[in-house]
């Protein structure tokens, strides 16, 4: 009888541990999703963080300078890339087509052009003072640029 009770206790203990592990693993995995968007800035930028709203204003060219750090230079990923599409959706709350129309209208009304784009945004941010951009977590290299914000993959 004692052996049977011991066996039941072991079963429940093991089951509980497995259940806790199963419930915890998805949140741990989500924290390191390679498709998360990492918002990065050149080391010359004094800001240590940024909000989605501030980022939206920068990439829509409504905000033109950093607080106490000079001119802000937004750098987009290449047009048509999945990264650019994800960024537009998460930050600008637009499709790629809506972003394109926005800048067409802004060019006519105010002479604004869309931000420059590069296929390697990490390298561009590393080299360009005052710049801000974004990369996938899987492409981010620690120490190359300052992290301002992490946007979970949708």
């Amino acid at each position: 009888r004692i052996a049977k009770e011991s066996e039941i206790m072991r079963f429940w203990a093991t089951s509980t541990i497995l259940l806790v592990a199963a419930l915890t693993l998805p949140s741990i995995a989500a924290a390191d999703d390679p498709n998360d968007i990492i918002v990065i800035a050149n080391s010359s930028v004094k800001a240590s963080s940024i909000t989605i709203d501030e980022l939206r204003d920068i990439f829509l060219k409504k905000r033109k300078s950093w607080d106490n750090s000079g001119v802000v230079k937004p750098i987009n990923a290449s047009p048509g890339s999945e990264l650019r599409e994800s960024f537009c959706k998460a930050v600008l709350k637009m499709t790629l087509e809506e972003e394109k129309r926005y800048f067409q209208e802004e060019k006519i009304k105010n002479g604004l052009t869309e931000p420059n784009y590069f296929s390697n945004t990490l390298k561009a941010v590393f080299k360009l003072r005052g710049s801000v951009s974004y990369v996938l977590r899987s492409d981010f290299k620690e120490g190359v640029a300052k992290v301002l914000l992490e946007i979970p993959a949708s």
Side-chain angles (χ1 to χ4, degrees), residues 35-97:
N35 293 313
D36 290 348
I37 298 172
I38 308 297
V39 177
I40 54 174
N42 180 270
S43 61
S44 67
V45 173
K46 292 180 183 170
S48 59
S49 65
I50 194 167
T51 67
I52 294 279
D53 290 337
E54 291 169 326
L55 196 58
R56 181 180 306 111
D57 286 349
I58 288 170
F59 277 84
L60 293 178
K61 293 201 165 179
K62 294 178 180 180
R63 180 175 173 181
K64 298 178 182 357
S65 64
W66 293 105
D67 296 335
N68 305 316
S69 293
V71 176
V72 64
K73 298 171 187 157
I75 298 173
N76 263 324
S78 297
S81 67
E82 286 184 38
L83 174 58
R84 174 90 169 255
E85 188 174 350
S86 296
F87 181 82
C88 280
K89 181 180 172 188
V91 175
L92 305 183
K93 309 295 186 219
M94 298 178 179
T95 65
L96 291 173
E97 189 58 38

Side-chain angles (χ1 to χ4, degrees), residues 9 25 38 55 61 89-90 98 111 116 124-125 129 139 146:
M9 290 299 288
L25 283 176
I38 308 297
L55 196 58
K61 293 201 165 179
K89 181 180 172 188
E98 289 168 331
N116 290 327
V125 165
R129 254 180 103 63
D139 295 330
K146 178 189 290 193

Side-chain angles (χ1 to χ4, degrees), residues 40-43 121-122 125-126 140-148:
I40 54 174
N42 180 270
S43 61
T121 56
L122 186 62
V125 165
F126 177 75
F140 180 68
K141 292 173 183 50
E142 200 70 45
V144 175
K146 178 189 290 193
V147 175
L148 299 182

Side-chain angles (χ1 to χ4, degrees), residues 118-134:
F118 292 88
S119 59
N120 187 337
T121 56
L122 186 62
K123 185 176 180 180
V125 165
F126 177 75
K127 293 185 174 196
L128 187 60
R129 254 180 103 63
S131 60
V132 60
S133 191
Y134 47 93

